[in-house]
């Protein structure tokens, strides 16, 4: 088998995507201003990633890995997962995404089985569990990036329930029943009451948003934007409550954050590189027109204070992002023109070039990465020498 080869990913045109970031990476013209939301790299059934072999043949990455087994994946990952266990993506978030929570591995397995037994078709709109896997996620910001991440610590949450007068109705339930009681109240409130509570708040903040008075570090900015983005006649999205309940996190380029099972989150704006376990299990909590299953959402949400752990950008050229899962690992290499490093490849690993130009060399195989050809795959046992042909920023995804 060939241990190193160029790879092409698959583009997702979800309507929340931006129109220029991913087209510029892949040097694709976009005259019709189509949204380019995500670029996927992996073996997921919805990722048609192709390897380009030295003889010119193109083969699906997942077929190549299936055909080569241990030679592609290595012993550990083959035994532990049976396949490439991660999905690597580039995201361009123009419009905010739904508030979501991912289940734990143990719970996903139970719930997936239960929905199978209940006979809910896998593609039904009310199907919660698409597979039996968890979906922890790690993201590295490629621009200034805003997201919601877990519940605010107690004092901050109390402060905002006091400051925003329309939210005072939540104060006593939070005091008495904590985070779980607060979230249950917000998620189970009848829609008419949601409208009654939020309408005066929106009437107050929408003009401020529209005349540019609100800043992005202010919850009101995102609440107003959410109201405009998810505008439906007669329905104010209850996800707006969570904009105030959750930590509003700002990452600068190169900073990173990990989101484990149960941590509610929503991406608000920016570009990132994201890696996750290969799964599609998402429970939604608002800012969406998609299916919301309150009972399931509340079951999986860690209703507790979260202190966001922002992973700083390393001073060193090489950064290994520490994650508490084996499904994936991510490393970043900032190389100056002329510098080179040699990497031992342990499993099916993906290179993703975000800036510059590099050559990858393994024995007689050589792949040059430069826009628009920014990805390659290497397989277990390969020894790859990376040489920067320009100042470059390269990522490598792997698993344990
Ligand atoms: Zn997520």
């Amino acid at each position: 088998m060939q241990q190193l080869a160029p790879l092409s990913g698959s583009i997702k045109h979800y309507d929340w995507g931006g129109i220029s970031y991913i087209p510029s990476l892949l040097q694709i013209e976009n005259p019709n201003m189509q949204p380019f939301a995500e670029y996927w790299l992996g073996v997921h059934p919805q990722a048609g990633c192709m390897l380009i072999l030295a003889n010119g043949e193109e083969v699906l990455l997942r077929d190549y890995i299936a055909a080569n087994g241990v030679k592609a994946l290595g012993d550990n990952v083959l035994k532990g997962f049976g396949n490439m266990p991660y999905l690597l993506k580039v995201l361009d978030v123009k419009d905010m995404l739904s508030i979501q929570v991912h289940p734990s591995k143990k719970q996903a397995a139970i719930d997936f089985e239960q929905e199978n037994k209940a006979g809910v078709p896998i593609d039904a709109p009310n199907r919660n569990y698409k597979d039996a896997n968890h979906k922890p996620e790690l993201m590295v910001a490629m621009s200034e990036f805003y997201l919601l991440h877990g519940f605010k610590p107690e004092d901050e949450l109390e402060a905002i329930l006091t400051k925003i007068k329309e939210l005072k109705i939540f104060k006593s339930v939070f005091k008495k029943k904590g985070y779980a009681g607060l979230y249950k109240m917000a998620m189970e409130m009848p829609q008419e009451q949601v409208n009654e509570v939020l309408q005066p708040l929106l009437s107050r903040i929408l003009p401020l948003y529209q005349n540019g008075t609100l800043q992005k570090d202010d919850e009101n900015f995102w609440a107003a934007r959410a109201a405009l983005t998810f505008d439906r006649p007669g329905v104010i999205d209850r996800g707006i409550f969570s904009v105030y309940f959750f930590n509003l996190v700002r990452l600068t380029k190169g900073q990173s954050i990990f989101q484990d099972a149960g941590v509610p989150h929503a991406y608000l704006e920016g570009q990132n590189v994201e890696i996750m376990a290969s799964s599609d299990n998402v429970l939604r909590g608002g800012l969406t027109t998609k299916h919301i299953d309150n009972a399931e959402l509340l079951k999986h949400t860690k209703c507790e204070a979260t202190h966001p752990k922002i992973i700083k950008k390393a001073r060193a050229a090489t950064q290994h992002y520490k994650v508490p899962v084996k499904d994936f690992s991510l490393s970043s290499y900032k190389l100056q023109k002329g510098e080179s490093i040699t990497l031992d490849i342990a499993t099916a690993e993906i290179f993703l070039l975000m800036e510059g130009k590099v050559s990858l060399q393994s024995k007689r195989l050589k792949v040059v990465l430069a826009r628009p050809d920014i990805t390659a795959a290497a397989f277990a046992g390969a020894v790859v020498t990376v040489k920067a042909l320009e100042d470059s920023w390269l990522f490598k995804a792997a698993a344990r």
Side-chain angles (χ1 to χ4, degrees), residues 100 102 135 137 259 265 274:
Q100 49 189 255
H102 308 299
K135 190 171 173 272
E137 301 168 326
Q259 316 201 93
H265 58 276
E274 191 185 33

Side-chain angles (χ1 to χ4, degrees), residues 274-315:
E274 191 185 33
I275 188 164
M276 65 208 70
S278 199
S279 165
D280 210 8
N281 282 328
V282 180
L283 298 149
R284 292 187 173 81
L287 308 191
T288 182
T289 49
K290 287 183 187 163
H291 172 67
I292 295 182
D293 184 331
N294 272 328
E296 290 302 302
L297 176 77
L298 292 166
K299 184 169 93 185
H300 293 289
T301 304
K302 274 188 197 160
C303 289
E304 59 189 34
T306 300
H307 298 267
K309 291 192 188 77
I310 296 172
I311 304 165
K312 290 208 179 92
K313 188 166 118 185
R315 289 236 174 87

